[in-house]
Amino acid sequence: MVEEKTKTKETKKELKKRLNEKTKLAETYLEQLKYLKADFENYRKKVLKEREEFVNQANENLIKRLLIILDDFEKAIYSMKNKEDLKGVELIYKNFWDLLKQFGLKRIEAKGKEFDPYYHEVLLKERSNKEEGTILEELQKGYLLNGKVIRHSKVKVSGGRGK
């Protein structure tokens, strides 16, 4: 009987020892799983961000190319004499412009504003009765796409007051 109790105690000790080892192993696996889950979450966020950047870059490239068509529409509207044709072209232009605005396109304000090298590119300088650096004329419109300059306004600025 004493021998049985001793054997039982040893078996209990052995079982406790094995249980502790298995518990530590389970805790190790759980910790590794937590790190793996965090790594996967970071990876998922990175992939989503890269995808969004790719889409934004593709949109920007497309819109830059479409700006040429927008310019051509404006030239056509300016030069049209027939009022009926003009109304149709203006309607198409408005729809096209509204579509581009939905993607975040905005015009850069230029005429009458103070020259800002972040938004404007000087092509001509001319003496005038305006303060130096005031934009006198916009030679080509500039655009922002979601707050980023995709084309600078090409402008003529005042070189100071003339005599």
Side-chain angles (χ1 to χ4, degrees), residues 120-145:
H120 310 116
E121 180 182 338
V122 176
L123 295 183
L124 298 169
K125 214 171 194 182
E126 173 180 292
R127 289 208 178 274
S128 73
N129 60 352
K130 305 276 184 187
E131 290 291 319
E132 185 172 356
T134 301
I135 297 173
L136 302 173
E137 185 180 343
E138 185 177 43
L139 304 170
Q140 184 182 43
K141 291 181 178 162
Y143 295 94
L144 299 168
L145 183 61

Side-chain angles (χ1 to χ4, degrees), residues 93-140:
Y93 172 79
K94 182 190 176 307
N95 289 339
F96 186 52
W97 175 242
D98 289 344
L99 177 71
L100 292 174
K101 284 195 307 189
Q102 289 176 9
F103 283 89
L105 190 68
K106 290 174 96 174
R107 282 192 184 99
I108 295 173
E109 296 296 321
K111 192 170 181 179
K113 303 281 184 189
E114 186 70 26
F115 171 73
D116 184 342
Y118 293 107
Y119 299 107
H120 310 116
E121 180 182 338
V122 176
L123 295 183
L124 298 169
K125 214 171 194 182
E126 173 180 292
R127 289 208 178 274
S128 73
N129 60 352
K130 305 276 184 187
E131 290 291 319
E132 185 172 356
T134 301
I135 297 173
L136 302 173
E137 185 180 343
E138 185 177 43
L139 304 170
Q140 184 182 43

Side-chain angles (χ1 to χ4, degrees), residues 2 14 40 63 66 70 81 83 88 97 111 135 144 159:
V2 175
E14 182 63 33
F40 180 75
I63 289 174
L66 293 175
L70 194 65
K81 306 289 185 229
K83 295 292 180 189
W97 175 242
K111 192 170 181 179
I135 297 173
L144 299 168

Side-chain angles (χ1 to χ4, degrees), residues 18-123:
R18 287 177 59 197
L19 180 61
N20 285 338
E21 287 173 359
K22 298 297 181 188
T23 302
K24 285 180 184 178
L25 188 60
E27 288 171 356
T28 301
Y29 288 152
L30 182 62
E31 201 63 30
Q32 288 175 346
L33 183 60
K34 286 178 183 177
Y35 282 118
L36 187 61
K37 182 181 176 187
D39 285 346
F40 180 75
E41 191 61 31
N42 290 336
Y43 173 76
R44 189 181 67 77
K45 287 177 185 176
K46 180 183 173 193
V47 167
L48 288 174
K49 184 180 178 194
E50 286 174 353
R51 184 174 147 223
E52 184 179 323
E53 288 172 359
F54 177 79
V55 168
N56 288 340
Q57 186 64 44
N59 285 344
E60 181 179 325
N61 291 337
L62 177 62
I63 289 174
K64 280 181 181 179
R65 290 181 176 181
L66 293 175
L67 289 179
I68 297 165
I69 297 169
L70 194 65
D71 292 340
D72 290 344
F73 265 118
E74 290 171 355
K75 289 174 193 169
I77 288 170
Y78 181 74
S79 67
M80 289 186 104
K81 306 289 185 229
N82 183 334
K83 295 292 180 189
E84 289 299 312
D85 292 341
L86 180 60
K87 286 180 185 176
V89 172
E90 283 177 334
L91 181 63
I92 294 169
Y93 172 79
K94 182 190 176 307
N95 289 339
F96 186 52
W97 175 242
D98 289 344
L99 177 71
L100 292 174
K101 284 195 307 189
Q102 289 176 9
F103 283 89
L105 190 68
K106 290 174 96 174
R107 282 192 184 99
I108 295 173
E109 296 296 321
K111 192 170 181 179
K113 303 281 184 189
E114 186 70 26
F115 171 73
D116 184 342
Y118 293 107
Y119 299 107
H120 310 116
E121 180 182 338
V122 176
L123 295 183

